[in-house]
Amino acid sequence: MRQTLLKNIGQLVNVREQDFLLRGSALTDLPIIKNAWLLVEGGLIVDYGSMEKIPAKLANTKNHLDLSGRMVLPSWCDSHTHLVFAATREEEFVDKIRGLTYAEIAAKGGGILNSAAKLNDASEDELFLRAWKRLEQVSKMGTGAIEIKSGYGLSTEGELKMLRVIKKLREKSPLLIKSTFLGAHTYPLPYKNDHQAYIKIIIDEMLPQIAQDKLADYVDVFCERDFFSPEETLQICHAALRFGLKPKLHANQLNNSGGVQAGVSMNAISVDHLESMDDDAIQCLSNATTIGTMLPAAAFFLRMQYPPARKLIEAGAAVALATDYNPGSSPSGNMNLVLAISCIQMKMFPEEVINAATLNGAYAMELQDKVGSIRRGKVANLIVTSPINSVAYLPYSFGENWIDQVMINGEFI
Ligand code: NIG
Ligand code: FE
């Protein structure tokens, strides 16, 4: 089996003998070994330690790399993206600069429905190729595990097409990929005034086929005023649960919509966004097993308030960070930028953002046994930085590319 020994690592970051979901003050605890070695074999992390105690037999390892002054981290776990889409929407970006509101843009044929029209026109092969390029880009920026949602089909055919694209990405890409069904992203125009008719299609047509073809791991609903109410969200998620799909929800993005409470009541894996939170919603997440996933790149791009990260952490909630990569509210899959925004705008500490983007992100995809920390037996998906002195430098030097190499399944890409 192919072995690679990484030697003289300046700092080996997020090393854990045992993993647990990090909440409250545990989020600040980022275990580091200085001047370390790490052995990769057959695509897995097999062992590590301090250079002072490196076993003599490792001197014979064929492949070895001197990483003096560099950091090695577990790769990013991006637990919320809409990376499969047909076309970008920069025209809306310019309209927003001119002062148009989200509603005005939607009335002009923009927004999610715009993406849905374009997606339904694109072939499965075209969609695959475009998404594949994005996946390659994000892996170079350090992402080693990623969740991808449907939600731009909004018809049985369109949703199944998107999910098949995600399935193919998963089969062909070395990254770890989880798939989420987001048929309840918005109501297609013919169903604007007949919500139950669309929900019936989701439950009676889409879900059975998705389950039969094993096309999704999770279900998502955009629980929001003028989109899906908490009651509609519960109705869809309970039906999806019967097909084995656990919920991961869009909650409390534009309004304090009750999405957090709906998610927690169903033991959702995560409730994501959280820009609009009152004390009740924060309290609800404080002891929950449901993870609060913050997507600050979307708040940045839409010029909205940021999620109350400090309040959530101090209340004891388990938080994760993800990109929300999508053409409408976060046209970037760059986790490094998400980390920087989180420190700069939400006053998270560098150790907290790294934990939230690795181990807690892995938990938000139920991939904690495979990725998210440096632990024996985990997949060797790693980031090697350029020479850097402290972890604080990573979010501090926002916009700089300090990633020198990325390893996926034990191979440098
Ligand atoms: O997570 N809020 C809902 N969905 C996406 C945006 C979708 C779009 O505008 O295309 C989000 O921000
Ligand atoms: Fe999203």
Side-chain angles (χ1 to χ4, degrees):
M1 244 187 299
R2 190 175 151 83
Q3 279 191 331
T4 307
L5 176 66
L6 309 180
K7 282 192 315 190
N8 300 319
I9 301 166
Q11 300 190 44
L12 183 60
V13 179
N14 214 353
V15 188
R16 294 175 186 272
E17 292 281 311
Q18 253 191 335
D19 292 312
F20 53 93
L21 182 61
L22 304 168
R23 51 175 79 243
S25 59
L27 196 67
T28 339
D29 181 27
L30 183 69
I32 291 176
I33 303 181
K34 289 198 172 156
N35 194 21
W37 59 272
L38 176 83
L39 182 67
V40 171
E41 194 179 299
L44 302 178
I45 296 169
V46 290
D47 209 357
Y48 59 80
S50 154
M51 283 304 290
E52 282 154 29
K53 294 186 203 150
I54 186 164
K57 61 172 191 211
L58 291 182
N60 303 326
T61 317
K62 261 202 217 124
N63 272 315
H64 50 102
L65 221 68
D66 191 317
L67 296 182
S68 299
R70 289 156 202 280
M71 274 180 208
V72 172
L73 303 100
S75 60
W76 307 132
C77 295
D78 188 354
S79 62
H80 181 136
T81 83
H82 310 246
L83 169 141
V84 175
F85 54 87
T88 54
R89 294 188 348 227
E90 58 268 34
E91 60 292 347
E92 292 177 20
F93 170 68
V94 177
D95 280 344
K96 272 188 216 115
I97 295 173
R98 287 203 180 95
L100 265 67
T101 65
Y102 194 81
E104 286 165 333
I105 288 167
K108 280 178 67 178
I112 297 169
L113 290 173
N114 177 6
S115 280
K118 287 179 177 150
L119 185 127
N120 281 297
D121 281 344
S123 75
E124 209 164 308
D125 288 345
E126 281 169 339
L127 286 173
F128 173 80
L129 283 175
R130 288 170 205 170
W132 180 260
K133 276 199 189 130
R134 290 177 203 124
L135 208 50
E136 276 186 335
Q137 271 174 358
V138 302
S139 65
K140 286 182 194 144
M141 294 190 283
T143 296
I146 190 165
E147 181 255 20
I148 310 175
K149 299 173 193 297
S150 68
Y152 291 128
L154 305 179
S155 62
T156 304
E157 199 189 325
E159 286 297 310
L160 291 172
K161 178 164 76 173
M162 275 191 92
L163 291 168
R164 282 194 302 270
V165 170
I166 301 171
K167 188 176 184 185
K168 199 161 150 199
L169 291 170
R170 185 187 196 141
E171 286 162 3
K172 303 230 158 153
S173 167
L175 300 197
L176 284 157
I177 298 178
K178 287 281 179 134
S179 168
T180 301
F181 167 54
L182 176 57
H185 201 180
T186 190
Y187 286 101
L189 278 183
Y191 301 97
K192 260 278 150 285
N193 299 312
D194 190 359
H195 289 186
Q196 281 306 317
Y198 185 58
I199 293 176
K200 193 168 161 46
I201 295 175
I202 291 178
I203 295 177
D204 293 348
E205 278 186 28
M206 299 186 192
L207 280 173
Q209 294 196 49
I210 290 164
Q212 191 187 327
D213 298 342
K214 296 195 169 53
L215 288 174
D217 303 296
Y218 303 110
V219 65
D220 190 350
V221 177
F222 187 18
C223 184
E224 184 58 59
R225 191 186 295 165
D226 295 331
F227 290 82
F228 292 80
S229 69
E231 295 71 30
E232 291 165 345
T233 301
L234 290 171
Q235 185 188 358
I236 294 163
C237 291
H238 282 303
L241 273 168
R242 290 196 287 276
F243 289 102
L245 307 184
K246 296 184 207 166
K248 271 171 79 67
L249 299 182
H250 278 76
N252 296 46
Q253 180 184 13
L254 309 174
N255 295 281
N256 188 11
S257 55
V260 166
Q261 287 86 343
V264 170
S265 78
M266 293 180 292
N267 282 321
I269 299 293
S270 67
V271 285
D272 304 16
H273 268 293
L274 316 181
E275 285 89 335
S276 306
M277 299 282 281
D278 62 4
D279 288 346
D280 206 54
I282 292 172
Q283 212 39 50
C284 178
L285 264 183
S286 64
N287 297 308
T289 50
T290 300
I291 295 165
T293 300
M294 299 179 287
L295 314 167
F300 171 71
F301 187 79
L302 299 177
R303 298 185 197 90
M304 286 181 53
Q305 66 206 342
Y306 289 92
R310 286 258 59 87
K311 281 189 181 170
L312 282 163
I313 295 166
E314 273 144 35
V319 299
L321 289 167
T323 62
D324 198 16
Y325 192 4
N326 78 77
S329 67
S330 177
S332 164
N334 188 340
M335 283 293 281
N336 309 297
L337 189 58
V338 167
L339 267 67
I341 298 175
S342 303
C343 290
I344 298 164
Q345 297 290 345
M346 305 198 298
K347 299 197 172 164
M348 288 178 73
F349 290 98
E351 293 81 3
E352 292 177 325
V353 295
I354 292 172
N355 275 324
T358 54
L359 189 53
N360 279 10
Y363 272 97
M365 296 184 275
E366 297 180 294
L367 285 173
Q368 67 273 15
D369 292 335
K370 293 214 162 93
V371 283
S373 64
I374 305 293
R375 203 184 85 190
R376 293 181 191 87
K378 281 199 178 182
V379 179
N381 286 3
L382 308 170
I383 295 171
V384 179
T385 71
S386 48
I388 276 170
N389 289 328
S390 79
V391 289
Y393 185 83
L394 308 183
Y396 156 83
S397 65
F398 77 95
E400 177 188 340
N401 179 17
W402 37 255
I403 293 183
D404 193 40
Q405 296 191 76
V406 171
M407 181 183 270
I408 301 288
N409 289 332
E411 303 292 336
F412 287 111
I413 60 169

